[in-house]
């Protein structure tokens, strides 16, 4: 989970990926992948990307007879989250297409449940998922300590944290 907006996810391209040294949430120095997200209304974000996701993307490139590396010049305009075919350029998702796909998946999950849980899951939106992600980062979970606010703001932007805090205070 990244907490990025749909528009940020569908606009992410391989050229926005870079290998960098950064500090993990545990404070360790890590050499890994970062996704650079440009935002018109605020400063750019840098979001860590797990190596497993890079491996999956490069495996898809290989299946499509494309150069395997995400850093290959011919892959720089390829959408990171795309609809892959056997050959040619992967088609990027649109905001509405990705939103509809996520909602269809969540509704299919809701059909496996009953009662109040099913009704709640039926109402889930991508915005709700984003704010829930922020809540989990701010408050922690059973197996995870809360993430430092500076890291959350660096990954999601101050607007996401402010909006989520506002929603939390209104719902209390």
């Amino acid at each position: 989970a990244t907490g990025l907006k749909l528009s940020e996810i569908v606009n992410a391209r391989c050229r926005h990926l870079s290998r960098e040294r950064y500090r993990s949430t545990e404070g360790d120095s890590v050499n890994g992948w970062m996704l650079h997200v440009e935002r018109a209304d605020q400063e750019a974000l840098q979001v860590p990307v797990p190596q497993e996701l890079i491996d999956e993307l490069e495996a898809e490139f290989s299946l499509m007879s494309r150069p395997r590396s995400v850093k290959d010049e011919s892959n720089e305009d390829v959408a990171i989250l795309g609809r892959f075919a056997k050959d040619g350029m992967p088609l990027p998702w649109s905001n509405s297409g990705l939103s509809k796909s996520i909602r269809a998946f969540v509704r299919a999950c809701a059909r496996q449940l009953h009662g109040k849980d099913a009704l709640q899951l039926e109402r889930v939106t991508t915005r709700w998922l984003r704010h829930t992600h922020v809540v989990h980062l701010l408050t922690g979970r059973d197996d995870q300590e809360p993430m430092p606010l500076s890291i959350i703001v660096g990954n999601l932007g101050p607007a996401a944290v402010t909006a989520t805090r506002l929603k939390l205070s209104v719902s209390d």
Side-chain angles (χ1 to χ4, degrees):
T2 65
L4 293 174
K5 297 175 185 176
L6 280 176
S7 61
E8 294 166 343
I9 294 170
V10 299
N11 289 318
R13 301 291 186 265
C14 287
R15 70 175 171 275
H16 300 133
L17 290 168
S18 64
R19 291 211 39 100
E20 295 183 18
R21 184 162 292 289
Y22 61 93
R23 293 240 173 257
S24 71
T25 55
E26 293 82 26
D28 300 326
S29 181
V30 177
N31 187 21
W33 289 96
M34 295 294 274
L35 174 65
H36 301 273
V37 179
E38 295 293 328
R39 290 185 160 174
D41 60 336
Q42 50 196 323
E43 70 181 68
L45 303 177
Q46 294 187 24
V47 181
V49 178
Q51 181 63 50
E52 296 80 15
L53 294 180
I54 300 296
D55 293 343
E56 280 184 43
L57 184 57
E58 290 181 335
E60 288 293 332
F61 288 163
S62 195
L63 290 172
M64 295 172 51
S65 301
R66 295 187 66 83
R68 186 174 176 93
S69 173
V70 295
K71 296 312 295 175
D72 189 281
E73 190 176 296
S74 66
N75 289 331
E76 68 180 16
D77 290 325
V78 174
I80 292 171
L81 186 62
R83 294 169 287 162
F84 290 87
K86 290 288 182 207
D87 54 3
M89 183 75 119
L91 299 173
W93 283 90
S94 66
N95 287 1
S96 65
L98 182 57
S99 179
K100 288 175 185 175
S101 181
I102 291 169
R103 294 227 24 191
F105 173 77
V106 170
R107 285 191 176 126
C109 293
R111 286 193 295 275
Q112 304 299 312
L113 301 173
H114 303 286
K116 186 178 176 181
D117 290 339
L119 292 174
Q120 283 184 314
L121 205 51
E122 281 284 333
R123 294 192 317 246
V124 166
T125 64
T126 54
R127 174 167 277 166
W128 180 88
L129 290 170
R130 177 176 160 82
H131 287 291
T132 300
H133 177 65
V134 174
V135 168
H136 288 166
L137 294 175
L138 287 169
T139 61
R141 289 177 250 164
D142 291 340
D143 62 341
Q144 186 178 3
E145 291 291 317
M147 188 174 283
L149 187 58
S150 61
I151 293 175
I152 298 171
V153 170
N155 286 354
L156 301 173
V161 176
T162 302
T164 301
R165 281 182 159 175
L166 180 62
K167 287 178 189 289
L168 285 174
S169 64
V170 168
S171 64
D172 285 349

